[in-house]
Amino acid sequence: MYWKLRIPLLLGVMGGMSGLVQKFPNLFLVDTSYFIRSAVFIGLIGIIFTILEKTNVNEKKVHFTICIGIILFGISFDYLMT
């Protein structure tokens, strides 16, 4: 069975960015309000996902075990970085 990479990449990118933002807050506007940091986080996710859409990476079909691996990597990366 083959899946498109759209949802697994979205979940993987969200997990990866969440882990990085939590582990290294100095890289992402440390002296700003919570609202600004949240907007920057959502903006980074949007920019990365737009790049993936424009390059048609999200349309690739791969085996479902690779998709599950991408999702589990995002979840575990977020969990281990906190």
Side-chain angles (χ1 to χ4, degrees), residues 20-41:
L20 288 175
V21 168
Q22 290 177 26
K23 185 69 173 180
F24 305 110
N26 296 336
L27 296 175
F28 303 100
L29 302 171
V30 69
D31 293 329
T32 58
S33 68
Y34 182 76
F35 178 73
I36 303 268
R37 282 182 278 161
S38 297
V40 167
F41 176 73

Side-chain angles (χ1 to χ4, degrees), residues 41-60:
F41 176 73
I42 292 171
L44 286 172
I45 297 287
I47 289 169
I48 292 170
F49 200 65
T50 302
I51 290 169
L52 292 173
E53 283 286 334
K54 294 291 183 182
T55 58
N56 289 328
V57 173
N58 290 341
E59 296 298 322
K60 304 286 185 201

